[in-house]
Amino acid sequence: MPEPNAAVARRPAAAGARPEDEVPAESWFVKIGKMVFMYVAMQFVMRQLSTKTTTEVKDTEGNTVKVATVNAIPPYNERPDRLDEGAIYSSIPQKIAPIWPDNRNVDIIVTISESVIPTPLKNTAKELIVLEEKKFGIGNWTDKRSTDTTITVPKSVQNNGTLWGHFYIALSGANIDPTQPNYDAGSAYHFVYPLTQHIYKKKVAKTRSLLGAANTTVEEEPEDEENVPSGPIIANYYHSNVSLSFIPSSDTMVFPQTHAAVRHYLQLERTGARDGSGQNSWYYPILYVNTFWQLKSHMTLLNETVKTLPMHIDLDNMAKWKFQTMASIDLSSKEAARQSAFGTPLPGGSDGSEIEMVKEIFIDTNPILLIITVVVSIAHMILETLAFGSDIAHYRKKKDNVGISVRSILANVFMQAVIFLYLVDQSANTSWMILGTQGVGILIEFWKITTVVNVRVRPAPAGSLIPYRISFEDKHKLSETEEKTKEYDEIAFKYMYIAGVPLLLAYAAYSLVYDTHKSWYSYIITTLVGSVYAYGFLMMVPSLYINYRLKSVAHMPGKAMMYKFLNTFIDDLFAFTIKMPFLHRLATLRDDVIFFIYLYQRWAYKVDYTRVNEFGQGGDDEDEKKEAEKKELPASAPEAAEQVVGSSAEKASGSTTGAVKKRK
C-alpha cells in the first residue's frame, strides 16, 4: 500500500512549502513600544484639536506678555464687561483657564493662626509669619526655597483645635494683603489650609493581667464601659515638615469633571467673573500643600503639654502628573481611614493604613535593599505557587504511606487552625485575603489526610461522654515498610512530646505571669500560637527521623521541599528588613536548621530517578513515554495487527519451539 505512505511523506513538504506564511510572534518590548507610540500620538492629536491661540496683554508692571487663549476663553485681563446677548451666568463654571501666564515671579507670605479670618499683615506679629519669599519663579525648576522656625502652640490648638495656615500669593510687586483697599483679585489671592490633622485613632483592646483580675472590683467595670465613647476617637496631630509646591500649568480644565483631589487645591477667581458665555472662568496657580509624606508615626500628638513646635518649610515646583498622583492617593487613603473609623467595612478587610505602611517602607528602607526586597518578594510568590502545585501533585500520585508521618499532618492542621484563630482574635481589621489564604491552607492539609488514610465517624466505646468519635483507618493492608513507617512515626512523636510539652508549659506559665491579655480565651490562643512559632520546627523532626530509619528520601516530595526551603532564605531576608515579632523572626531561622539536615540526608541517601525505587516511585518519564507510544497508532496499523496475530499463532502451534535463546 504505497499511496498512503506517499501521502504521509508529502505532508511535511506541503506544510513547509510556504514558510513566508508563518508570522513570528511579537515580543513584549515591541508591544510596549507600540502602546507608548499610540499614547504619544493620541496626546499630540488632542493638543492639535484643542484650538490654542495667544493674545498680547499688559501685566500689572506694564510689560507686554503673551497669554494663551485656550478653547475660546479669553485672557483674564481681556474679559468682557458684560455677558453676550442671550448668555446665562453659571454659578459653577464649566471650563476654567489659568488666570496668569506661566513662568511668572510671585511673592508669597505664610502666616499661622487659630482662626480662618485673615488678620491684616501690618498687624500680624513677626513670630506668626513663618514664610516670606520674594520673586519666586513659577515653572523655574531650579528655584527652591526653605526656612526653619519655631512656633508657639495656641491654647485652642492644644485643646484639639486647628492650626490654620494663611497663604498670601501675588504677582511680584502687587499688593498681597486682601484687607487693604487697593487689593486687586486679578493679581493676588489668599486661602487658608490646616497645618494640623485630625486623625482617627484605632480602638485598642484593653488587656489586663489575668492573675490580678481577682483584685478588680465589680463596680469598676461598669464605670469603664460608660466612659468608652460610642463613636470614633479623633486626635489632633502635627508634622514639623511643610512642603509647598506650585504646579506650573497652562491647561484648561473642565471643572465639574476634575478629580476631587485636584479640585481640593483649586482656587477659582474670587470675584466670580465669567467670559462672554457666562459659563467659563479662571483659576489661580495651584499651590499644593503636600501632606503625602507626613506619616502618623512621625507626627506629634497635640495636648496641653505641647508648648512650642519646630517647623521646616520647603518651597519648590512640582510636575502636574506627580501632583495628581500624590493628591489622589493621599485623599483616597484618608477617606478609607475615615470610613473605617466609622465602622464602614472596606474591601479586603482594609482599615486604610496599608498606604501608610508602604510609605514607611519607602522612607525608612535603603533604596538598594528596597529593590532587592521587591525582587525577592516576586520570587517568593512564584516559589510559593510552585511548592503548592508540586505538593498537591506529589500526594495525588502517591500510592502508599511509606515515609509519611500522619501525625505530622494532623499536627500541622492543628497549628494552622491555631494561627487562624489568632488572626481572628487579635484584630477585627485583619485582611480577609490573609484569613482566606490561611483557611485554604487548612483545607489542603485536611485533603492530605484523606489521601493517606480514610477518615470515618464511628460509634465511641461504651462509657464515653461523646457518642461518636473520628477514626483514621488505613486504606489498605500495610506493607512491611509502611508498618515500619508507622512505628518510626510513633517513636518520633514520643520524643517530641517529651521535649515539647515542658517547653509549652514553661511558656504558658511565663505568659500568664508577665504578659497581659484580653481574656482567658485570648491567653490560650496567644500561648498556643507562640508555641507554634517557637517550637513549630519540631513538626518536621518525625519526617527526618523516618528518613534516617528508612535510609531513604525517595518518598519525600523533592520539588516541593526545595521550593519551600528556598522560601526560607527569602524569609530570612524579610526577617532583617521588615518589622516583626521576635518569635516570628525565630521561626524563620529554625527552618534553616531543618533545611540543612534535609540536604545532608539527600546527599547521604542517593536517589536514582531513572528507575522505579523500592517504594514504587520514580520512572515517571518512562511510563509517560510508553503511554504516548500507545496513543500514537502507526499508519500501517492493519499490517501490525496481522503480524501480532501471526506471531501469536506461531506460539500457539509451537512452531518456534527450540528457537528460544538462553537469557544471559
Side-chain angles (χ1 to χ4, degrees):
M1 299 176 65
E3 294 182 359
N5 294 335
V8 173
R10 286 194 298 268
R11 285 170 192 164
R18 299 180 61 187
E20 63 274 6
D21 294 343
E22 298 180 3
V23 180
E26 293 183 350
S27 65
W28 281 103
F29 294 102
V30 176
K31 293 180 180 179
I32 294 174
K34 288 184 177 180
M35 294 172 63
V36 172
F37 175 77
M38 290 294 295
Y39 175 78
V40 174
M42 290 290 293
Q43 293 294 322
F44 176 78
V45 172
M46 293 298 295
R47 289 180 181 275
Q48 297 302 317
L49 291 178
S50 59
T51 59
K52 182 183 292 187
T53 60
T54 58
T55 304
E56 292 185 354
V57 299
K58 292 185 177 181
D59 59 8
T60 56
E61 301 175 356
N63 301 322
T64 301
V65 295
K66 290 185 177 181
V67 179
T69 304
V70 187
N71 293 339
I73 301 179
Y76 179 75
N77 291 344
E78 299 294 330
R79 65 190 184 281
D81 296 334
R82 62 181 61 88
L83 300 181
D84 298 338
E85 185 177 353
I88 300 176
Y89 181 88
S90 175
S91 58
I92 300 177
Q94 297 303 308
K95 293 182 179 181
I96 53 176
I99 194 171
W100 299 339
D102 288 342
N103 304 322
R104 298 306 308 274
N105 293 334
V106 297
D107 300 335
I108 178 172
I109 296 177
V110 180
T111 66
I112 59 173
S113 174
E114 51 189 314
S115 173
V116 295
I117 301 175
T119 304
L121 291 176
K122 62 181 181 180
N123 299 333
T124 303
K126 289 186 178 181
E127 58 269 16
L128 298 181
I129 301 177
V130 295
L131 178 67
E132 185 173 6
E133 296 292 340
K134 301 289 186 180
K135 295 185 177 180
F136 178 81
I138 299 180
N140 184 2
W141 302 103
T142 61
D143 194 354
K144 297 181 180 180
R145 317 281 179 91
S146 63
T147 184
D148 291 278
T149 185
T150 302
I151 63 174
T152 301
V153 182
K155 201 71 176 177
S156 61
V157 178
Q158 293 177 345
N159 297 319
N160 217 27
T162 301
L163 181 65
W164 295 97
H166 288 259
F167 297 84
Y168 303 87
I169 304 167
L171 292 173
S172 185
N175 185 9
I176 200 171
D177 190 351
T179 61
Q180 300 301 312
N182 60 343
Y183 177 80
D184 180 16
S187 58
Y189 67 104
H190 160 266
F191 68 94
V192 295
Y193 198 89
L195 298 180
T196 57
Q197 300 185 42
H198 290 85
I199 301 177
Y200 303 95
K201 298 176 66 176
K202 290 184 179 180
K203 292 184 179 180
V204 180
K206 292 184 178 181
T207 59
R208 57 190 173 89
S209 176
L210 299 179
L211 295 179
N215 300 328
T216 305
T217 58
V218 180
E219 290 79 15
E220 291 178 353
E221 296 180 358
E223 292 179 359
D224 293 337
E225 293 179 359
E226 291 177 1
N227 294 331
V228 175
S230 57
I233 303 173
I234 303 175
N236 199 12
Y237 291 87
Y238 168 83
H239 199 285
S240 59
N241 291 331
V242 180
S243 299
L244 307 177
S245 300
F246 280 102
I247 314 301
S249 173
S250 59
D251 295 337
T252 295
M253 304 182 192
V254 181
F255 184 69
Q257 300 177 6
T258 306
H259 193 281
V262 176
R263 198 183 310 160
H264 182 69
Y265 295 97
L266 278 176
Q267 304 295 330
L268 300 181
E269 196 274 338
R270 293 291 187 258
T271 64
R274 298 288 185 271
D275 65 348
S277 66
Q279 302 295 313
N280 307 319
S281 184
W282 298 265
Y283 66 95
Y284 298 102
I286 299 175
L287 180 63
Y288 177 36
V289 184
N290 190 354
T291 61
F292 185 83
W293 296 109
Q294 293 185 359
L295 305 182
K296 183 180 177 182
S297 58
H298 298 166
M299 293 183 181
T300 302
L301 178 62
L302 300 180
N303 50 40
E304 295 83 357
T305 62
V306 181
K307 305 297 182 183
T308 60
L309 289 169
M311 178 179 285
H312 175 81
I313 301 178
D314 290 315
L315 179 63
D316 57 10
N317 292 276
M318 180 182 290
K320 185 177 180 180
W321 67 268
K322 189 176 181 181
F323 154 68
Q324 292 175 334
T325 303
M326 297 175 69
S328 59
I329 294 175
D330 196 25
L331 179 65
S332 61
S333 62
K334 290 179 179 178
E335 180 62 22
R338 188 189 69 84
Q339 293 184 10
S340 176
F342 281 92
T344 304
L346 299 177
S350 169
D351 62 352
S353 62
E354 290 78 10
I355 299 296
E356 185 92 356
M357 296 173 60
V358 173
K359 293 178 185 178
E360 287 184 359
I361 293 174
F362 277 100
I363 290 178
D364 299 335
T365 307
N366 183 282
I368 298 177
L369 187 60
L370 180 63
I371 295 174
I372 295 175
T373 305
V374 172
V375 173
V376 299
S377 298
I378 298 174
H380 190 281
M381 289 188 293
I382 295 175
L383 291 173
E384 194 81 21
T385 305
L386 293 174
F388 171 77
S390 181
D391 201 20
I392 291 180
H394 172 79
Y395 277 90
R396 289 182 62 184
K397 294 180 180 179
K398 197 165 180 61
K399 301 178 178 63
D400 53 43
N401 299 342
V402 174
I404 295 181
S405 175
V406 180
R407 289 176 175 82
S408 293
I409 299 177
L410 291 172
N412 201 24
V413 171
F414 172 76
M415 291 191 297
Q416 296 284 349
V418 167
I419 295 175
F420 180 82
L421 295 176
Y422 174 76
L423 293 174
V424 174
D425 176 71
Q426 286 299 309
S427 176
N429 292 323
T430 301
S431 173
W432 286 104
M433 184 179 298
I434 297 176
L435 292 175
T437 304
Q438 193 70 24
V440 170
I442 296 174
L443 295 177
I444 292 175
E445 295 298 327
F446 271 121
W447 172 79
K448 286 182 182 179
I449 296 175
T450 61
T451 62
V452 178
V453 294
N454 293 324
V455 182
R456 299 288 185 264
V457 177
R458 301 299 186 190
S464 300
L465 295 177
I466 302 176
Y468 295 94
R469 63 181 178 85
I470 298 177
S471 175
F472 299 98
E473 302 173 357
D474 298 324
K475 288 182 173 290
H476 57 272
K477 182 178 177 61
L478 299 182
S479 64
E480 180 181 355
T481 309
E482 290 175 324
E483 290 287 356
K484 289 182 179 180
T485 299
K486 190 174 181 180
E487 177 187 353
Y488 299 153
D489 191 19
E490 293 177 359
I491 296 173
F493 260 84
K494 182 181 71 172
Y495 290 113
M496 271 186 52
Y497 291 141
I498 296 174
V501 172
L503 292 175
L504 174 61
L505 295 177
Y507 178 75
Y510 175 87
S511 179
L512 181 63
V513 174
Y514 294 101
D515 295 338
T516 58
H517 305 276
K518 293 187 295 183
S519 61
W520 283 99
Y521 169 78
S522 178
Y523 159 71
I524 294 172
I525 294 298
T526 305
T527 303
L528 290 176
V529 80
S531 302
V532 168
Y533 279 140
Y535 317 128
F537 71 97
L538 294 176
M539 291 299 102
M540 277 296 296
V541 172
S543 296
L544 297 179
Y545 180 74
I546 293 172
N547 295 345
Y548 165 71
R549 295 300 298 268
L550 293 177
K551 304 299 181 185
S552 175
V553 293
H555 51 270
M556 298 290 288
K559 290 183 179 179
M561 295 292 289
M562 293 303 297
Y563 293 144
K564 291 179 180 179
F565 284 136
L566 286 175
N567 268 341
T568 62
F569 292 106
I570 297 177
D571 293 335
D572 293 342
L573 177 63
F574 287 149
F576 293 101
T577 58
I578 297 177
K579 296 178 181 178
M580 62 177 62
F582 174 75
L583 288 177
H584 193 81
R585 196 167 273 141
L586 181 65
T588 62
L589 299 177
R590 66 156 192 239
D591 294 333
D592 297 339
V593 178
I594 300 296
F595 172 64
F596 287 115
I597 296 176
Y598 175 71
L599 282 182
Y600 169 76
Q601 289 185 337
R602 286 186 66 88
W603 172 80
Y605 314 133
K606 303 293 184 181
V607 180
D608 185 4
Y609 292 103
T610 62
R611 66 177 181 82
V612 177
N613 58 41
E614 64 272 26
F615 305 121
Q617 300 174 1
D620 297 336
D621 296 338
E622 296 180 2
D623 295 340
E624 293 176 359
K625 289 180 180 179
K626 290 180 180 179
E627 291 180 1
E629 290 175 358
K630 291 179 180 179
K631 291 180 180 179
E632 295 179 0
L633 294 177
S636 56
E639 295 179 2
E642 291 176 3
Q643 292 177 0
V644 171
V645 172
S647 61
S648 60
E650 290 177 356
K651 290 181 180 179
S653 62
S655 59
T656 58
T657 305
V660 179
K661 297 181 180 179
K662 281 189 176 182
R663 181 183 300 173
K664 293 184 180 179

